[in-house]
Amino acid sequence: MHVMMVAFPMQGHVTPLLELAQVLAKHDIRITFVNTEMIHDRVVSSSGEMTPVGFVSVADGLESWERYVPGKLTEAVYTVVPAKIEALIREINANSNEEEDKIRCLVYDQSIGSLQQVALNAAIPSVAFLPAAAALLVLGINIPDLLRDGIIDDQGNPLKSDPVQFAPTMPIMNPKDFVWCSVKNTTIQKQILHAMRQNNKLINSADWVICNSAQDLEPGAFTLAPHIVPVGPLLASNRLANSAGSFFKQDSDSLEWLDQQPSSSVIYLSFGSYAMLDKAQFQELALGLEHGNRPFLWVVRPDAVPGADNPRKFPEGFLERITGRGRIIGWANQQKVLSHPSVACFVSHCGWNSTLESVSNGVPMLCWPYYADQFINRSYICDIWRVGLQLGNDGGGIVTFDEIKEKIDGLLGDDELKERALKLKEMMGSSVREGGSSYQNLMNFITWIQECKK
């Protein structure tokens, strides 16, 4: 059986779909994983020569400079890439002499709903993969109701400020934090809202809709949308392997440094592959870590703040004062870091992959969301699961170093919160072990894939 898989070209989308690809490959399913040219070399080089997954790339139709123009990449993924994928399927199938070499199933990122039409045109089974929380898809499904109830207008702008909660165990959402509203660029706002509305219609004809989540993690969402099948958390640690597809070079010495720290002592900080801090907030965070007087491991991407790799962009004398106590790196093997016994808490942007990795390791979270579904995830962490605290407030503005220090102290001093985090860890472990709900769903899905016929 030969399966093609296509992810949206962002780190948070590639990582879980590539993990699913690794799992399928272990069950003798041939995988062709398609990247856009922009990310292809980085994904391939970080996946290693021994990976059982085959990689190919397609053009996104953009000049290199256009990829950094807000909205251009998203537009290209929605409009240019599907035609490239359809042509690639035709080419592979036309040049395959053996039936087993032909593409027999398309597994695609649910955010690129137009790929469902590609599968229909190719007359092959299709699977929509949701790399985010099921609650995100439930939000999309409820857009018509939000319009009817006057919560948003037909452009998606919030008309009311009252929080929205679709079920008792679902996130509490402020309309201004709806996925499309949380993005400041109006072009991208319109693209996201339009895509969510279209995708809801298109995936109705998919053979499967699977989600990188677990039944016990989001019971309300899966009750409201029973067609979504949870198969997660999809983590390399479940395979006792290293994660693949990193866009950035991982620091190789972090784990050795963590080995030298006391148990449950280290503050780990990472804001994902996309979030940016302005200079003032960056320096305030640095001071909060310094004044906290605890060991910390801080991921600072070279592009996370203009000139962040220049010592002068840190508070004066900061690097000298935290020598031996703080470690600053460009990128981490996050799954291994969060599973290390010296890590006490995770200061996070609340991306879904980071959220799953944290709760799967019983690590409490300090939440600092920036955009998109991160506000949904923050509500899960702080309001529903109660395994984290929120930094800042919905009013915006600078999060001060005093608040950063106080919230870290409060998080680490809350024994009940830490106990809930450990219970959630056990729940997640049970879901992916043999006999667990996600494990069984995944095995059923793999059996269906293996039996797919044109």
Side-chain angles (χ1 to χ4, degrees):
M1 175 55 61
H2 190 179
V3 175
M4 179 176 285
M5 306 182 81
V6 186
F8 194 97
M10 291 184 69
Q11 185 73 79
H13 293 249
V14 170
T15 298
L17 189 61
L18 186 52
E19 181 56 34
L20 177 63
Q22 304 277 353
V23 172
L24 297 184
K26 284 188 66 176
H27 288 81
D28 297 323
I29 297 170
R30 181 180 172 187
I31 304 295
T32 292
F33 197 96
V34 185
N35 301 304
T36 61
E37 290 177 345
M38 180 181 72
I39 65 169
H40 181 69
D41 289 343
R42 286 184 288 174
V43 172
V44 173
S45 63
S46 69
S47 297
E49 296 180 358
M50 300 303 293
T51 179
V53 175
F55 294 98
V56 298
S57 65
V58 296
D60 55 25
L62 296 175
E63 298 293 336
S64 57
W65 63 270
E66 289 183 294
R67 292 169 180 153
Y68 300 96
V69 177
K72 281 288 187 179
L73 175 61
T74 306
E75 181 182 7
V77 171
Y78 291 159
T79 60
V80 176
V81 170
K84 300 288 186 182
I85 298 298
E86 186 165 354
L88 182 60
I89 292 173
R90 284 199 304 267
E91 178 185 353
I92 291 174
N93 287 353
N95 294 330
S96 299
N97 295 322
E98 302 294 333
E99 284 299 312
E100 60 265 26
D101 292 333
K102 295 182 177 181
I103 302 295
R104 292 304 188 201
C105 181
L106 178 63
V107 180
Y108 65 88
D109 193 315
Q110 183 269 336
S111 66
I112 320 175
S114 51
L115 288 176
Q116 176 59 31
Q117 189 59 52
V118 170
L120 294 173
N121 294 345
I124 57 175
S126 61
V127 179
F129 175 75
L130 180 62
L136 178 61
L137 191 51
V138 171
L139 171 61
I141 292 169
N142 278 275
I143 288 174
D145 292 339
L146 297 174
L147 286 162
R148 182 200 63 206
D149 296 339
I151 295 172
I152 59 173
D153 62 21
D154 58 2
Q155 299 298 312
N157 299 309
L159 299 175
K160 297 181 179 179
S161 58
D162 295 337
V164 174
Q165 187 178 31
F166 297 117
T169 58
M170 284 196 63
I172 300 167
M173 307 180 198
N174 189 315
K176 73 178 181 62
D177 292 332
F178 287 156
V179 177
W180 56 89
C181 296
S182 69
V183 180
K184 295 180 180 179
N185 183 279
T186 55
T187 299
I188 301 177
Q189 286 178 7
K190 293 176 182 178
Q191 288 174 342
I192 293 174
L193 180 63
H194 176 73
M196 290 181 73
R197 298 177 74 172
Q198 290 298 111
N199 293 348
N200 292 337
K201 300 174 184 177
L202 288 165
I203 67 169
N204 286 334
S205 56
D207 292 274
W208 285 70
V209 180
I210 60 176
C211 179
N212 186 26
S213 187
Q215 179 69 41
D216 290 337
L217 205 57
E218 301 187 79
F222 291 115
T223 297
L224 291 178
H227 63 293
I228 307 174
V229 180
V231 296
L234 291 164
L235 302 175
S237 55
N238 297 340
R239 299 182 292 115
L240 303 179
N242 290 317
S243 57
S246 174
F247 287 12
F248 306 97
K249 184 178 180 180
Q250 297 175 345
D251 180 79
S252 58
D253 300 323
S254 299
L255 298 176
E256 182 178 342
W257 181 83
L258 287 171
D259 288 341
Q260 301 168 16
Q261 309 307 316
S263 176
S264 299
S265 67
V266 176
I267 313 304
Y268 172 62
L269 307 92
S270 177
F271 301 102
S273 61
Y274 192 78
M276 304 280 283
L277 294 174
D278 63 31
K279 180 180 177 181
Q281 184 61 82
F282 182 80
Q283 294 206 347
E284 205 73 19
L285 174 56
L287 291 173
L289 293 173
E290 179 184 347
H291 287 243
N293 200 33
R294 300 177 187 271
F296 63 86
L297 178 64
W298 184 8
V299 175
V300 181
R301 300 187 328 270
D303 64 340
V305 62
D309 56 344
N310 184 330
R312 290 175 296 177
K313 297 300 180 181
F314 290 93
E316 185 175 356
F318 169 78
L319 295 177
E320 291 76 20
R321 292 192 298 271
I322 58 93
T323 298
R325 179 167 62 85
R327 182 173 176 83
I328 298 169
I329 62 175
W331 198 246
N333 185 331
Q334 185 161 284
Q335 292 188 34
K336 289 190 178 295
V337 167
L338 288 171
S339 67
H340 198 283
S342 72
V343 172
C345 76
F346 182 15
V347 181
S348 172
H349 66 308
C350 303
W352 187 242
N353 288 315
S354 291
T355 299
L356 290 179
E357 291 163 4
S358 197
V359 300
S360 294
N361 286 288
V363 178
M365 300 181 72
L366 202 52
C367 300
W368 203 341
Y370 283 83
Y371 74 111
D373 64 325
Q374 295 164 11
F375 295 95
I376 291 175
N377 306 336
R378 186 269 311 274
S379 182
Y380 263 140
I381 295 162
C382 299
D383 303 326
I384 308 303
W385 308 329
R386 295 186 297 141
V387 295
L389 300 177
Q390 174 182 340
L391 266 175
N393 55 62
D394 292 339
I398 294 289
V399 178
T400 66
F401 75 84
D402 281 331
E403 179 181 353
I404 293 167
K405 177 185 180 300
E406 289 172 6
K407 284 291 176 68
I408 289 175
D409 289 343
L411 187 72
L412 298 185
D414 191 332
D415 291 336
E416 292 183 357
L417 185 149
K418 287 188 281 187
E419 185 178 345
R420 287 191 294 270
L422 292 175
K423 287 181 179 178
L424 197 57
K425 172 186 177 180
E426 179 55 34
M427 186 187 300
M428 291 302 92
S430 296
S431 74
V432 296
R433 287 194 291 267
E434 187 170 356
S437 57
S438 287
Y439 176 90
Q440 191 56 55
N441 287 338
L442 185 55
M443 292 302 105
N444 291 342
F445 173 66
I446 289 171
T447 299
W448 175 82
I449 287 272
Q450 292 170 330
E451 295 175 351
C452 269
K453 302 294 180 182
K454 184 175 179 180

